[in-house]
Amino acid sequence: MGTQPEAALTLRQLQSLRIPCFNTADSLLLASNKIESLQHLEKTALPIIPTLLASFPLPSDFAQSKLGWPMIMKTINGAQGSGVFIARNEGDYANFMRALRVTKSK
């Protein structure tokens, strides 16, 4: 169906035609943003894992002091597992930061 914004436009069009849709455009967009999803869950008083929103680059000692090893690292946007990485130690963390640096420079 393309990107999330394109899919959301399609869903909105279907909804405007009163065609039943299992997910709404808003739920699709919410699900595509990991931080926004966690913030939404937190508002409902559901338990969520400790989370740290950070800018790149973030020193490993700071992240480790807040979350400990292992930690799951995610880019803000992504779907179906894209942008998700596990850092079991400082070496894994450094590899993720290097990958982000390459991605940001493109």
Side-chain angles (χ1 to χ4, degrees), residues 12-106:
R12 284 199 178 97
Q13 180 64 28
L14 293 172
Q15 290 171 300
S16 73
L17 297 171
R18 300 186 189 275
I19 296 172
C21 300
F22 182 76
N23 289 318
T24 65
D26 290 337
S27 68
L28 174 74
L29 293 172
L30 176 64
S32 70
N33 184 304
K34 296 174 183 98
I35 287 293
E36 202 172 345
S37 294
L38 284 171
Q39 291 169 341
H40 182 76
L41 290 172
E42 194 171 39
K43 287 180 193 174
T44 65
L46 290 170
I48 62 168
I49 60 170
T51 304
L52 177 64
L53 174 60
S55 296
F56 174 81
L58 181 68
S60 64
D61 57 341
F62 180 79
Q64 194 276 332
S65 72
K66 298 292 183 189
L67 303 173
W69 305 117
M71 69 179 77
I72 303 297
M73 303 170 69
K74 300 178 177 186
T75 57
I76 287 183
N77 295 305
Q80 300 178 341
S82 67
V84 179
F85 186 81
I86 184 167
R88 292 179 178 83
N89 53 47
E90 196 161 337
D92 289 347
Y93 186 90
N95 288 338
F96 183 76
M97 288 295 139
R98 274 193 289 279
L100 280 181
R101 186 175 298 117
V102 169
T103 303
K104 286 182 76 75
S105 67
K106 289 184 179 182

